[in-house]
Amino acid sequence: MPNDLDDSPSGFSTPENLALVRQLIRPRFTHDIHDYVLEGICKAMDGFHVISVVRTGGGKTTYFSGFMVLLQEMEKLSEDHPLKHSLERFIPTNPLCIIIYPTKGLEEDMVQTFNALGIPSLAINEDTLKNARNRSIDLWALATQPQLRCLLLSPEQLASKPFNTALSIPSFYSRIVALDVDEIHLVLTWGAPGFRNSFRDIGNALMRLPRWTTLTGVTATLPEGIDTLSLMRILGLRSGSFVFTRRSNHRPELQFIFRVLRHGLQGWSFPDFDWALNGQRKTIIYCRTISLAFRLFVYLWQTSSPSNSPARRKRSRLYCSLYSDKYNKTSRDIFVNDVSCQFLITTDALKVGNDFPNVDDVINIEPEDPSDILQKGGRAGRRISNSLTTGPRCINYFTQSTMKRAKEVLKPGRDDSSIQELGPSNLEQGSQGKMTRKMARLLLSDCIDKEIDIQFANPETDPVCTCEKCSHLHPLPRSMVDCRCSKCQPEPPLPALPQKAAVSRVGNGIVLAKKLTEVEREYGLRQLSAFCRRVWDASRDISIKYLPPESLLPDCLIHSLLNEFAKLKTTADLVPCVNGFLKGNEVPLMSELNSLQRKFNRMRIALDPNGDDVPVER
């Protein structure tokens, strides 16, 4: 991507001033700043917009914090300091940076990070606004105070009425000096129609800010070609006004593994993942839907042994958008700090921006595209443990039908116009069957890492970084390093899955006269759903209250009960048909089934005038 800028450095970007800036801001950080981050900060100080592609864990947050720290330190310099004379852009008094983060949890985490660096910061989202109202605090009034240096918002807040009102206050508007965007590639994906359209309005928001405002956007997953060009167009960045840098997003310590599922994803049994229970590797498991995440959580909880171990309850945590931010933050903290917590089962709610220090494996179930694989896989191996014999891994599972679709997509002679290059689909509605050509090429490639390099235009080698961390590293060119992906180094055969008992057909072994009619099944579904709600309402177990009522007796289990209705005569017969969350309610459930039997008898009498209302036999 050409920048159309004069190659000769000036302003803050000269070698001498780069060294002065590093010296100035280094004492504020616990680590040195990477050269490429320092260059991006100085380009922003020179008045250019900056878009940077850097690998996960490559210091993207420092683009923002380093810029704000530099502004603070500049205020302390004397007027005859060389950096003061090199300043070519306007910097207002008490400058304010606005940073856009994609998730509320990430906003609130970053507020703590920036405040710890001595940067007065405030996060505004629907949750912080609600909490503030409960305490009679006006967050938007706080946002306009001159001591605030960093305002963290979601893209939706940029289009909100309170933000527009704040922009009409001259003392607030005139202080804005930067608009920063984390995970800027989401403008193309999450910003697609029908999801979070406000991402596409970030460019319009930049046009409404003071003319001296610069935009800095960072990401690890912006593919080369049309995606990069589209992003610049949507943001409204003109040739010559911005600097674009692309470093390799390859992480040599991270192993990519592709596996094909041998068991379906529709039920409550997931034996493909039993291997993870046999070890102690910290693992994040990404699911396409909340439903799948919950069912997998239940399976791992029930399968963990020993069943009476106090640690069993802590071994797995569920993280999704249905839970409060407080609960999700607790889950993140437990996963990081409690050795008993091995699994964090989640959705896209935890896809970006979380810097976990201790993730050994990422399991990615049916990832949507190559960016999805890189983003989620990037959570693993941020800090490598020398105690592990196997390094960090990103293990991706695909169904047989997904592999077949990939072959169809790349079939010779297929019309490219029929292949849909996707934004995010509504995964909760079960959107399936769509695949990009890029994803198909990655699935069928001979080498996962090589195909990723091609799609993201990764350079063979990056310019040498001279920071304290990198100065002693001498990475070999990629062509001299053996690839560890599962295509180049196939895994040994996986253990055979346990033999599954033959699944009974509906009413198997039940005489025709005792099978439920469709009308009876529909009535039974309604009544058992209502029973499930009553049990949930009456429960005093706090952990149950964090789950939706349907989790006690999901529709699939209700259908199992109705399928085997005539066979259910005692509470012992219920065991195969219920999950652990309904434990202790077998007797009330049996009573409900007896009531249903009496109702069905009366329904049959109404249909058959010669029938008898026979006694219940259970």
Side-chain angles (χ1 to χ4, degrees):
M1 163 70 67
N3 297 315
D4 294 339
L5 298 178
D6 188 349
D7 290 337
S8 58
S10 61
F12 274 60
S13 299
T14 64
E16 297 80 12
N17 284 340
L18 284 168
L20 287 175
V21 171
R22 186 190 295 275
Q23 182 181 6
L24 186 63
I25 67 177
R26 176 64 182 88
R28 295 279 296 273
F29 292 91
T30 59
H31 56 84
D32 198 5
I33 307 288
H34 290 300
D35 290 355
Y36 52 88
V37 176
L38 188 66
E39 292 163 4
I41 293 170
C42 289
K43 283 296 183 183
M45 286 298 293
D46 288 335
F48 292 105
H49 305 301
V50 177
I51 305 296
S52 186
V53 180
V54 180
R55 70 181 180 89
T56 55
K60 294 188 293 294
T61 299
T62 320
Y63 278 89
F64 310 149
S65 59
F67 181 78
M68 291 183 285
V69 165
L70 178 57
L71 292 178
Q72 290 179 314
E73 295 301 315
M74 287 283 292
E75 295 174 351
K76 304 174 186 178
L77 299 178
S78 62
E79 290 301 322
D80 60 351
H81 193 281
L83 288 178
K84 286 280 191 177
H85 291 294
S86 300
L87 189 61
E88 299 176 349
R89 64 173 290 185
F90 173 70
I91 300 294
T93 303
N94 299 324
L96 174 69
C97 297
I98 297 174
I99 307 183
I100 306 304
Y101 281 103
T103 64
K104 294 178 288 186
L106 189 53
E107 280 181 49
E108 294 172 35
D109 282 349
M110 289 298 102
V111 160
Q112 297 179 26
T113 298
F114 295 144
N115 282 325
L117 285 169
I119 306 167
S121 304
L122 176 69
I124 296 184
N125 56 53
E126 58 183 11
D127 289 341
T128 58
L129 287 169
K130 180 180 178 180
N131 292 335
R133 280 195 298 268
N134 292 337
R135 294 178 291 152
S136 301
I137 297 174
D138 186 348
L139 282 189
W140 283 106
L142 293 179
T144 61
Q145 297 302 307
Q147 62 269 26
L148 187 72
R149 293 303 182 91
C150 179
L151 180 61
L152 287 72
L153 304 173
S154 66
E156 287 78 11
Q157 291 297 331
L158 285 177
S160 68
K161 184 176 179 181
F163 182 71
N164 289 330
T165 301
L167 290 181
S168 67
I169 303 173
S171 60
F172 174 81
Y173 178 84
S174 63
R175 292 196 301 116
I176 299 173
V177 71
L179 176 64
D180 300 332
V181 186
D182 189 34
E183 308 296 353
I184 200 165
H185 68 281
L186 295 178
V187 169
L188 300 174
T189 52
W190 287 12
F195 193 52
R196 295 180 65 181
N197 296 0
S198 297
F199 272 97
R200 296 263 172 158
D201 293 330
I202 290 175
N204 293 331
L206 178 63
M207 298 299 105
R208 294 158 52 210
L209 300 181
R211 65 182 183 280
W212 54 78
T213 304
T214 55
L215 180 144
T216 296
V218 294
T219 178
T221 53
L222 180 62
E224 176 73 340
I226 190 171
D227 294 290
T228 301
L229 295 172
S230 296
L231 178 65
M232 304 307 168
R233 177 180 55 79
I234 293 170
L235 294 175
L237 301 184
R238 302 185 310 276
S239 178
S241 69
F242 66 93
V243 176
F244 178 84
T245 59
R246 182 186 294 277
R247 292 180 68 87
S248 175
N249 58 21
H250 174 70
R251 290 179 52 199
E253 76 280 8
L254 182 61
Q255 181 184 19
F256 287 100
I257 297 173
F258 284 2
R259 293 176 181 172
V260 177
L261 286 160
R262 296 172 290 168
H263 191 280
L265 296 174
Q266 303 306 314
W268 290 77
S269 179
F270 304 95
D272 279 292
F273 307 102
D274 284 355
W275 61 268
L277 292 167
N278 298 326
Q280 294 297 323
R281 294 172 66 89
K282 285 275 188 176
T283 304
I284 298 179
I285 304 178
Y286 286 98
C287 302
R288 291 285 294 269
T289 66
I290 294 175
S291 169
L292 175 58
F294 174 73
R295 287 181 283 118
L296 181 57
F297 168 74
V298 172
Y299 176 79
L300 292 178
W301 180 80
Q302 290 182 327
T303 311
S304 294
S305 61
S307 59
N308 59 352
S309 169
R312 182 192 188 197
R313 193 179 186 92
K314 296 182 180 180
R315 193 173 187 185
S316 301
R317 294 286 295 190
L318 184 61
Y319 182 111
C320 70
S321 59
L322 291 180
Y323 293 142
S324 68
D325 281 345
K326 181 179 179 181
Y327 181 85
N328 281 336
K329 184 180 186 305
T330 299
S331 293
R332 294 198 304 270
D333 292 343
I334 289 174
F335 181 71
V336 170
N337 300 314
D338 192 333
V339 295
S340 300
C341 184
Q342 181 184 356
F343 301 108
L344 189 60
I345 304 161
T346 184
T347 61
D348 277 0
L350 202 64
K351 177 179 179 178
V352 293
N354 291 277
D355 187 8
F356 292 102
N358 57 345
V359 179
D360 303 316
D361 288 336
V362 165
I363 295 176
N364 208 354
I365 303 175
E366 282 281 276
E368 191 172 14
D369 54 36
S371 294
D372 207 28
I373 293 173
L374 280 179
Q375 277 290 342
K376 294 172 180 174
R379 303 310 110 199
R382 293 297 185 93
R383 299 176 197 172
I384 302 174
S385 172
N386 294 327
S387 63
L388 292 176
T389 56
T390 303
R393 302 179 297 182
C394 175
I395 305 172
N396 302 272
Y397 282 89
F398 303 93
T399 62
Q400 293 280 2
S401 60
T402 295
M403 302 305 294
K404 291 179 181 177
R405 285 202 303 274
K407 294 176 182 178
E408 287 294 322
V409 167
L410 298 182
K411 184 178 294 184
R414 177 155 181 164
D415 181 7
D416 283 358
S417 64
S418 66
I419 308 301
Q420 192 170 3
E421 296 295 328
L422 305 175
S425 55
N426 188 339
L427 299 179
E428 286 308 308
Q429 293 180 0
S431 176
Q432 299 293 332
K434 299 178 180 179
M435 179 178 293
T436 66
R437 292 188 64 86
K438 291 178 180 178
M439 188 61 179
R441 288 198 300 268
L442 183 59
L443 283 173
L444 301 179
S445 65
D446 294 327
C447 173
I448 300 170
D449 289 40
K450 184 176 180 180
E451 182 62 30
I452 288 175
D453 285 344
I454 293 171
Q455 295 194 21
F456 290 92
N458 286 335
E460 173 74 8
T461 56
D462 285 320
V464 175
C465 178
T466 62
C467 76
E468 296 167 5
K469 180 180 180 181
C470 299
S471 58
H472 68 283
L473 301 177
H474 304 285
L476 294 172
R478 293 287 303 282
S479 58
M480 298 177 62
V481 179
D482 291 336
C483 179
R484 297 169 53 242
C485 80
S486 60
K487 299 291 187 77
C488 294
Q489 297 187 21
E491 295 185 280
L494 296 171
L497 296 185
Q499 289 293 322
K500 184 171 63 173
V503 178
S504 299
R505 295 180 178 273
V506 175
N508 184 38
I510 303 175
V511 296
L512 185 61
K514 292 189 176 183
K515 288 181 181 178
L516 299 182
T517 66
E518 288 303 315
V519 173
E520 291 170 341
R521 291 179 64 86
E522 183 179 346
Y523 178 81
L525 178 62
R526 291 198 305 270
Q527 293 301 108
L528 290 175
S529 297
F531 166 80
C532 174
R533 180 72 197 207
R534 292 196 301 273
V535 172
W536 187 87
D537 287 337
S539 176
R540 297 183 179 180
D541 187 341
I542 295 299
S543 63
I544 293 296
K545 293 299 185 180
Y546 280 112
L547 302 174
E550 296 79 10
S551 62
L552 276 65
L553 197 61
D555 284 357
C556 61
L557 294 186
I558 292 178
H559 286 301
S560 294
L561 289 170
L562 298 176
N563 289 347
E564 305 296 326
F565 189 79
K567 292 183 176 180
L568 303 176
K569 301 181 182 300
T570 68
T571 54
D573 298 331
L574 299 177
V575 173
C577 299
V578 298
N579 61 38
F581 294 109
L582 204 62
K583 186 177 181 180
N585 290 280
E586 293 86 353
V587 173
L589 177 58
M590 198 72 233
S591 177
E592 184 71 22
L593 294 175
N594 284 330
S595 297
L596 279 177
Q597 180 67 76
R598 289 190 290 270
K599 176 64 176 178
F600 294 157
N601 287 339
R602 290 192 292 272
M603 293 169 68
R604 290 167 183 170
I605 290 171
L607 293 174
D608 181 7
N610 298 321
D612 297 318
D613 192 358
V614 297
V616 177
E617 295 181 1
R618 285 199 178 278

